[in-house]
Amino acid sequence: MKREDFKAAINGKDTDLFVLKNEKLEVCITNYGARIVSLKVLKDNHWIDVVMGFDSIKDYLSKDEIYHGTIVGRYANRIARGQFSIDGKTYALNINNKPNHLHGGPDGFHNQVWEVVNASEKELVLSYLSKDGEEGYPGNLQTMVTYRLSGNELEIHFEAKTDKTTVLNLTNHSYFNLNGQGTSTVLDHTLEIKADHVTPVDETLIPTGELMPVEGTPFDFRAPHTIGERIAEDHIQLAYGGGYDHNYVLNRNGEGRTLAAKATGDKTGLTMEVYTTEPGIQLYTGNFMKGLNTLKGGYKDDLRTGFCLETQHFPDSPNQAHFPSTFLSPGEVFKSSTSFGFIV
Ligand code: GAL
């Protein structure tokens, strides 16, 4: 990867590549989509790149999978039929995943050039002003994301403010492969998720509103299982998702940072732990990957060669009053933190 391949101008704004590095981790991030391009972990004197990505901005612009490593917003995941109401007024968002709105719409945060607020070896702070009406959302929303290295962890912190009541749900959409990106499927990775329930979905992947106990189902990752062990079982929820594509309701004790999930690569023994302040986490097992895109190092993004653990509020919360609220009003500050820690 060369820095000059990330220097471009998109909509008149300059893109670049930033490197955070300590003795354990090296993370490359571009301000186009505030996305992680690579995340290398030092194990036995070798750097293992555990995040899928591409070699240049040109590649990111031309590939058909557009969410690699990005910050997703203004609303990560789906909003049913792209509609919700605030104080009796209905808002209509762009429909980009028929019949629903997905990941903030076609020009969501993933497709924006973020401003660089501060860049050092340990920390990168990026900000983006999403204007009132963008993709149909109300309010000027100022979002700041901080990527920070701390020992064996990559921390991601969000802060956001609005000038009109709006909805938001922010996450990072990295596709992980703890064997090294591109080198295998993730089906033999071991996974644990600290959740007794998932939010089951309809055939368009919108939550039905119920909480489904994972007990006795292929969704139970409370004790470690490989990702592939039960992915082909006959379960209507697996059929709707084409595999795992579900929000887990995290078992929480209070509001702080809690361990949400833990995964281990079968070939490397490398373990990743995800901590978050968010109430949910989306497990997505790369069910839509088709091997059409060439990754860094010439690898292909074949079916299920990456998995996402997207810390989040629940999908379609603006329409489901009993889910934790995703509304943000003027005067409030939205804050959220997630960390990915690596144990070699
Ligand atoms: C995930 C989502 C999947 C799919 C993917 C992007 O977050 O749950 O359904 O849209 O992003 O391809």
Side-chain angles (χ1 to χ4, degrees), residues 64-68 72 76-78 97 102-103 171 173 175 204-205 241 244-247 282-289 308 310 312 315:
D64 76 338
E65 170 52 67
I66 51 182
Y67 302 111
H68 276 290
V72 181
N77 214 293
R78 291 172 176 81
N97 188 246
L102 173 70
H103 290 335
T171 193
H173 203 290
Y175 288 82
T204 74
L205 301 183
Y244 298 103
D245 194 354
H246 292 79
N247 171 61
Q282 184 86 6
L283 169 62
Y284 170 59
T285 49
N287 312 316
F288 298 123
M289 291 183 159
C308 300
E310 303 152 56
Q312 61 181 3

Side-chain angles (χ1 to χ4, degrees), residues 31-50:
N31 58 326
Y32 171 54
R35 73 184 74 214
I36 299 178
V37 174
S38 69
L39 199 177
K40 292 184 186 159
V41 184
L42 188 63
K43 185 170 192 293
D44 304 330
N45 291 318
H46 290 288
W47 290 98
I48 306 172
D49 187 355
V50 299

Side-chain angles (χ1 to χ4, degrees), residues 5 97 104 208-209 292 333:
D5 293 332
N97 188 246
T208 60
L292 295 177
V333 182

